[in-house]
């Protein structure tokens, strides 16, 4: 590309390196934007869309990092140019890039409900095995604080938002997901603690179907006749909600031949929560029946059979009550102003 040599304007080699990182990411289809030098927060205006005063760069509509993220080579070269003040880390905006990044953290405190796991990787492996699945190989990175970022392409037409470890439609504790409204810092970026490195080279795999459905919020439940709308996930602790989401997804996706045992195990698990006072028995019953509904009438799976299994397994589970230890469930933390990225 033609370049005008300007006298007295030093080209910082580290800026040139980071520009290469940004250009490579863009060439791989990712939308990039500048992140503060040596940091992990956006270097573009920090206010969120709902606080936008529509001035300055936002005059013609909000222009946060997500809107300004680009694959345009010229814009990338403008951002990453000049002296060391332009040593921006490379932010990757997940929404525009059509990706979801699974962000696996670590903890010094073992998770009792996950066999003493101390990493999001262990939780994810248990979750994957619990669904009878394996994870496809995909592009991944390591963060300076021993975290892992697994990149997945979203299926065409699907949009997801961020989730936060153990809350709502998240995968589990120590696991965040970054999608629409979220970003990650890309490999090649640096922080005082160390560098972001590529862990697994190669293509970004498509998000597996079972993960897609765990991460997809269900359509709002229709109120039953004569009953007020009471979503169990609203009332339950978010941690309980995550368990519900996992168990009901497992039931819905159970392959032929494992439908009964999956339903049985899910009902026992929820039964334990009912016994522990974490969950209302009628709600648990209704949720499980809803989840099993996709199988009813298919290959001899009957409603009566599902009812019986649920009733019995709930009662069985309730005899071994399980309480959620709330010391391990943190307040629903929000990211930085515009979604953002965990360490
Ligand atoms: Zn704005």
């Amino acid at each position: 590309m033609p370049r005008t040599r300007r006298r007295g304007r030093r080209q910082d080699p580290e800026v040139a390196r980071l520009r290469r990182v940004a250009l490579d990411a863009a060439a791989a289809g990712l939308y990039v934007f500048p992140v503060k030098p040596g940091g992990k927060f956006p270097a573009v205006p920090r206010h969120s869309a709902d606080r936008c005063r529509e001035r300055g760069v936002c005059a013609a509509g909000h222009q946060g990092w997500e809107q300004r993220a680009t694959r345009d080579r010229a814009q990338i070269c403008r951002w990453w140019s000049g002296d060391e003040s332009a040593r921006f880390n490379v932010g990757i905006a997940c929404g525009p890039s059509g990706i979801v990044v699974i962000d696996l953290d670590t903890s010094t405190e073992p998770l009792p409900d996950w066999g003493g796991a101390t990493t999001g990787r262990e939780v994810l492996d248990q979750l994957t095995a619990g669904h009878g699945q394996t994870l496809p190989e995909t592009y991944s990175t390591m963060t300076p604080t021993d975290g892992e970022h697994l990149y997945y392409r979203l299926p065409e037409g699907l949009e997801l938002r961020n989730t936060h470890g153990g809350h709502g439609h998240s995968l589990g504790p120590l696991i965040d997901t970054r999608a629409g409204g979220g970003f990650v810092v890309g490999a090649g970026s640096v922080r005082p603690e160390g560098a972001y490195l590529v862990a697994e080279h190669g293509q970004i795999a498509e998000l597996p179907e079972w993960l897609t459905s765990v991460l997809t919020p269900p359509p709002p439940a229709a109120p039953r006749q004569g009953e007020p709308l009471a979503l169990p996930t609203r009332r339950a602790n978010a941690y309980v909600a995550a368990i519900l989401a996992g168990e009901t997804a497992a039931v819905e996706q159970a392959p032929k031949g494992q439908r009964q045992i999956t339903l049985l195990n899910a009902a026992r698990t929820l039964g334990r929560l009912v016994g522990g006072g974490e969950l209302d028995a009628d709600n648990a019953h209704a949720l499980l029946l809803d989840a099993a509904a996709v199988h009813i009438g298919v290959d001899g799976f009957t409603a009566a059979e599902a009812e019986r299994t649920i009733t019995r397994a709930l009662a069985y589970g309730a005899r071994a009550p399980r309480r959620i230890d709330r010391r391990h469930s943190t307040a629903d933390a929000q990211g930085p102003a515009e979604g953002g990225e965990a360490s």
Side-chain angles (χ1 to χ4, degrees), residues 227-238:
E227 274 179 39
L229 176 65
L231 288 177
T233 49
R234 278 283 170 85
R235 295 204 308 232
N237 179 286

Side-chain angles (χ1 to χ4, degrees), residues 54-322:
E54 292 172 18
R55 291 200 304 230
V57 292
C58 296
H62 182 62
Q63 292 283 294
W65 56 263
E66 190 167 47
Q67 291 77 28
R68 297 180 78 185
T70 188
R71 296 174 54 191
D72 181 66
R73 294 180 60 88
Q75 179 59 53
I76 291 168
C77 290
R78 278 196 294 277
W79 275 331
W80 280 272
S81 71
D83 64 21
E84 65 265 20
S85 64
R87 287 180 182 176
F88 298 115
N89 275 338
V90 179
I92 293 165
C94 299
S97 301
I99 60 169
V100 57
V101 175
I102 299 181
D103 178 359
L104 303 172
D105 278 329
T106 61
S107 166
T108 50
E109 209 176 319
L111 295 162
D113 292 330
W114 295 85
T118 56
T119 64
R121 165 58 76 174
E122 291 170 272
V123 174
L124 181 62
D125 285 347
Q126 289 179 36
L127 199 67
T128 305
H131 280 79
Q133 303 284 339
T134 54
L135 287 171
E137 267 188 33
T138 193
Y139 176 83
S140 70
T141 66
M142 277 182 297
T143 76
T145 49
D146 293 329
E148 277 183 89
H149 288 169
L150 313 181
Y151 288 53
Y152 291 100
R153 267 187 304 113
L154 282 178
E156 199 66 43
L158 182 70
E159 284 178 30
L160 293 177
R161 303 295 293 175
N162 294 333
T163 66
H164 182 64
H167 296 273
H169 280 270
S170 76
L171 294 174
L174 298 179
I175 306 178
D176 293 345
T177 58
R178 308 278 164 200
F183 69 94
V184 287
V185 177
S189 301
V190 285
R191 297 226 316 260
E193 302 93 319
Y196 290 81
L197 304 169
V198 176
E200 196 72 55
H201 288 271
Q203 298 294 309
I204 299 176
E206 182 159 303
L207 186 67
E209 216 176 289
W210 69 274
L211 271 175
T212 304
S213 53
V214 176
L215 288 170
T216 307
R224 274 161 216 275
Q225 206 181 1
E227 274 179 39
L229 176 65
L231 288 177
T233 49
R234 278 283 170 85
R235 295 204 308 232
N237 179 286
Y239 195 82
V240 174
I243 296 172
L244 290 181
E247 293 297 340
T248 52
V251 169
E252 277 168 26
Q253 290 151 43
K256 210 170 79 182
Q258 285 172 41
R259 296 176 300 187
Q260 207 61 255
I261 186 70
T262 307
L263 180 59
L264 185 82
N265 285 334
R268 284 180 175 178
T269 301
L270 300 197
R272 295 190 61 195
L273 294 171
V274 170
E278 299 284 353
L279 191 62
D280 177 85
D282 290 338
N283 274 332
H285 193 280
L287 265 176
L288 288 164
L289 201 56
D290 279 355
V294 294
H295 303 301
I296 289 170
V298 182
D299 296 309
F301 193 93
T302 67
E305 195 178 17
E307 284 270 11
R308 252 196 324 272
T309 302
I310 292 168
T311 305
R312 277 168 50 182
L314 277 175
Y316 181 92
R319 291 200 288 273
R322 178 180 171 199

